[in-house]
Amino acid sequence: MTKKKIIEKILELKKKRKAIILAHNYQPPEIQDIADLRGDSLELSLKASKTDAEVIVFCGVFFMAETAKIVSPNKKVILPVIDVPCEMADMITPEDVITLKNKYPNAPIVTYVNSKAEIKALSDLCCTSANAVKVVGTLKEKTIIMLPDMNLARYTQRFYTDKKIIYFDGFCPFHHILLPEEVIKTKEKYPSAVFIAHPECRPEVIDLAEYVASTSGMIKLAKQLPYKEFIIGTEVGLLYPLKKENPDKIFYHPSPEKMVCPSMKKISLEHVFNALENLEFEINLPEETIKKAYNAVKKMLIL
Ligand code: 13P
Ligand code: SF4
């Protein structure tokens, strides 16, 4: 089948199935182009909770599809490729959470959505990279546990001198790998460019950033700021929507070979076609997990 034919078939099947296609900002360009909504984790979770579609085809990684199922348990949530783990989400186990809970029994647990449903189910509240600072600000407690990303936790800590954030030592290998030397080199090469970092980057990299934002936050900043050139400190897939939405601006990447999340690159148009035709691979979760995780996700979505 030609690319044009596959796209036609996808659109036909989407109608027939009363489906919606959601795609994360890091997805391959052809997937972003056919999606009904392309966005960051927060935007996609909100859309999944509000849509009246019967089927949600989620083009992203496993935790994103699980989150869609948690907020829309009565809908069919389909991942076009099943083997799409988030390496950070896989770093923490329920036992790790229970150990921290026992050590700090009065500290609420704020869990990054980049985590498995079973971890969300043990948490008080969820957050994304777009709202972590705001979420922590709603809590009256002075000691807070943040999981599983130590970099997002340490970034959030910068905003609260009156709170102590206890963090787990998880991280995203494709953000943590960016080194300050690489950013400094790119800044030297492009002295007019403004550096925007994702909060999953290590603190020494955040120190060099003029702005820190989620993936969609970066797209908005590039649009709103008067500058013409930007250095982008996140997974390399973001360059596609950045350039598409800001054709008059120039984007540089400090480490385009290393900052590639393999799970985000696996879904093709053929997979989306198969997902709609055969309704596979469906995400199902135990009812009890959905119920507990829903509380934590919902509290974030209504903020
Ligand atoms: P955003 O929510 O900023 O899109 O981040 C998701 C993610 O996986 C970053 O690695
Ligand atoms: Fe997970 Fe990192 Fe991939 Fe984002 S880029 S999905 S945090 S492994």
Side-chain angles (χ1 to χ4, degrees):
M1 248 193 289
T2 61
K3 187 173 165 183
K4 192 167 163 253
K5 194 81 203 147
I6 297 181
I7 294 173
E8 271 171 32
K9 289 263 179 215
I10 287 174
L11 297 179
E12 248 171 57
L13 276 169
K14 202 173 70 161
K15 249 193 213 150
K16 182 171 148 199
R17 298 287 191 202
K18 296 194 172 59
I20 185 172
I21 301 174
L22 304 182
H24 186 262
N25 287 322
Y26 298 154
Q27 284 290 298
E30 63 271 27
I31 300 297
Q32 297 196 24
D33 289 345
I34 51 132
D36 295 288
L37 180 82
R38 188 256 316 132
D40 67 7
S41 306
L42 183 61
E43 291 168 333
L44 296 172
S45 315
L46 278 165
K47 184 72 181 174
S49 72
K50 285 187 185 144
T51 180
D52 52 13
E54 288 173 13
V55 174
I56 300 173
V57 174
F58 213 115
C59 301
V61 290
F62 204 85
F63 79 80
M64 296 179 176
E66 273 192 345
T67 307
K69 186 69 187 172
I70 290 164
V71 295
S72 284
N74 300 322
K75 298 190 191 300
K76 256 190 204 312
V77 177
I78 309 288
L79 248 180
V81 173
I82 199 68
D83 179 25
V84 283
C86 163
E87 294 196 22
M88 169 159 52
D90 285 352
M91 286 180 184
I92 190 164
T93 65
E95 292 69 38
D96 292 325
V97 184
I98 291 162
T99 304
L100 277 165
K101 242 186 210 262
N102 289 339
K103 198 163 170 199
Y104 304 98
N106 299 319
I109 299 183
V110 176
T111 294
Y112 194 21
V113 283
N114 298 32
S115 56
K116 291 181 181 165
E118 59 189 6
I119 303 295
K120 292 183 175 82
L122 290 168
S123 311
D124 295 288
L125 194 54
C126 280
C127 72
T128 74
S129 63
N131 64 12
V133 175
K134 182 170 155 192
V135 164
V136 166
T138 65
L139 299 169
K140 60 176 188 330
E141 288 85 353
K142 295 286 177 224
T143 305
I144 290 156
I145 299 170
M146 275 187 94
L147 313 170
D149 185 7
M150 63 175 174
N151 289 335
L152 181 68
R154 290 183 290 185
Y155 171 67
T156 307
Q157 178 71 78
R158 295 178 186 224
F159 293 79
Y160 298 104
T161 46
D162 62 327
K163 291 184 195 287
K164 170 104 186 98
I165 298 182
I166 311 292
Y167 56 83
F168 182 73
D169 58 2
F171 59 91
C172 165
F174 313 108
H175 283 81
H176 197 68
I177 200 162
L178 177 61
L179 300 174
E181 304 82 277
E182 294 173 289
V183 177
I184 292 166
K185 227 168 114 188
T186 317
K187 278 184 165 220
E188 280 167 2
K189 199 166 168 195
Y190 305 108
S192 315
V194 169
F195 176 47
I196 314 181
H198 194 277
E200 287 176 16
C201 293
R202 57 177 76 217
E204 311 88 275
V205 166
I206 297 282
D207 286 341
L208 297 167
E210 275 80 37
Y211 297 90
V212 177
S214 75
T215 56
S216 288
M218 289 184 178
I219 298 173
K220 282 177 204 138
L221 279 172
K223 215 176 259 181
Q224 288 159 3
L225 291 169
Y227 315 110
K228 266 241 161 310
E229 293 172 66
F230 297 89
I231 300 166
I232 298 300
T234 194
E235 207 269 351
V236 74
L238 194 72
L239 291 180
Y240 176 68
L242 270 168
K243 287 179 184 165
K244 193 174 169 185
E245 293 208 17
N246 300 283
D248 56 328
K249 305 212 171 178
I250 306 168
F251 300 97
Y252 308 109
H253 199 284
S255 190
E257 272 91 42
K258 289 192 298 182
M259 294 180 79
V260 183
C261 173
S263 287
M264 283 286 184
K265 308 301 164 207
K266 286 189 182 168
I267 298 174
S268 67
L269 287 175
E270 286 80 3
H271 291 127
V272 177
F273 169 72
N274 181 62
L276 285 161
E277 171 124 298
N278 299 313
L279 294 179
E280 63 186 13
F281 301 89
E282 188 176 352
I283 302 297
N284 280 305
L285 288 165
E287 224 172 275
E288 197 53 24
T289 308
I290 293 189
K291 227 163 71 193
K292 289 186 183 154
Y294 179 78
N295 281 332
V297 180
K298 188 71 195 172
K299 276 187 220 154
M300 163 187 91
L301 294 181
I302 57 174
L303 281 181

